[in-house]
Amino acid sequence: MTTSCKVKFWDIRTNTRADKPGKKPRIVSHTVRWTVGNREKSQTFKTKGLAESFLSDLRQAAKKGEAFDVDSGLPASMVKAKDARTWYAFAVAYVHAWWPHAAAKSREGMTDTLATVTRVLVGDVPGRPSDEIIRRALREYSFLPEDRRLEPTPEIARAVRWLEGASLPLSALDETKHARAALEALALCLDGMPAARSIGAQWSAPGRRVNCSPR
């Protein structure tokens, strides 16, 4: 991977389209534009909010001195998440990419939600640890940046190795049964009781925890 720290950002471009001659053009999308080295990059989003969020993430990565991949135009941490083959690898790379930019409360919610999903997106592989040990392995080791990790106990180390081998490929999420399993997991509290809020927003915003407020 060829990288560069020479990054420049441009204003977000608003894209419009006139459906009929003489009618006022309507906004159809928003494009984030930037350069890495001397190569122009762009990514288009349906809403301005998504475009602004993506541009903010890029700016923050550049501000903290992170190198950008010349081919994809993404910070190195984002490339790891993009190239992940299994759900476990993706979840770990995702958390590590956003950890420096997230507040403590956001980190708590993000790791909680992803741990809930990760424990169900696995295959039927012998030696599965308990759900509690899987959760601890993710939140106390895998999801932590390397400089914050303590030496894992043998039990946690075994759980991490099991997750690495048992995690489903990302392509498995194209299958209804696996997507449904993840949604159903998000719909429950840790005690197995239904969560109070709708799960739709939880799946679309993985940084937020499932709300288990009392009824």
Side-chain angles (χ1 to χ4, degrees):
M1 180 173 68
T2 303
T3 61
S4 173
C5 289
K6 183 181 177 183
V7 184
K8 184 176 182 179
F9 303 101
W10 305 91
D11 291 337
I12 294 173
R13 183 181 66 213
T14 299
N15 306 308
T16 61
R17 182 175 65 202
D19 293 327
K20 294 182 180 179
K23 293 198 67 173
K24 183 179 179 180
R26 63 184 179 89
I27 296 175
V28 293
S29 61
H30 305 267
T31 300
V32 177
R33 301 172 298 154
W34 73 104
T35 60
V36 178
N38 295 317
R39 298 176 64 172
E40 294 184 6
K41 303 294 177 181
S42 66
Q43 189 157 335
T44 300
F45 299 85
K46 188 173 182 179
T47 68
K48 187 175 182 180
L50 289 174
E52 289 175 338
S53 178
F54 180 68
L55 179 58
S56 175
D57 292 335
L58 295 179
R59 288 184 183 277
Q60 289 185 60
K63 186 176 180 180
K64 72 185 187 79
E66 190 170 343
F68 280 58
D69 174 38
V70 173
D71 290 330
S72 68
L74 298 175
S77 58
M78 289 190 190
V79 173
K80 290 181 181 178
K82 181 174 179 289
D83 291 344
R85 293 287 183 265
T86 66
W87 170 264
Y88 170 80
F90 168 78
V92 170
Y94 179 90
V95 174
H96 290 178
W98 304 127
W99 187 278
H101 316 308
K105 190 172 183 179
S106 297
R107 293 170 182 169
E108 176 77 10
M110 176 169 55
T111 57
D112 183 40
T113 302
L114 287 175
T116 298
V117 176
T118 302
R119 69 179 175 80
V120 300
L121 294 180
V122 292
D124 186 14
V125 177
R128 178 186 175 113
S130 69
D131 285 351
E132 178 57 29
I133 294 301
I134 289 176
R135 189 175 203 78
R136 286 183 53 202
L138 291 168
R139 301 195 66 192
E140 298 176 13
Y141 185 80
S142 298
F143 287 161
L144 292 179
E146 291 186 6
D147 60 356
R148 292 196 175 206
R149 292 175 177 172
L150 299 177
E151 187 69 23
T153 65
E155 187 176 44
I156 295 299
R158 283 194 298 271
V160 170
R161 289 195 297 271
W162 185 87
L163 282 164
E164 290 173 341
S167 182
L168 294 175
L170 281 174
S171 58
L173 285 172
D174 292 336
E175 298 181 37
T176 303
K177 64 178 181 180
H178 296 308
R180 182 181 294 117
L183 288 169
E184 289 176 349
L186 287 173
L188 298 175
C189 302
L190 292 181
D191 60 4
M193 295 297 290
R197 289 168 47 191
S198 167
I199 62 175
Q202 305 297 332
W203 182 246
S204 62
R208 301 177 65 184
R209 106 180 16 246
V210 175
N211 184 354
C212 296
S213 56
R215 287 161 176 76

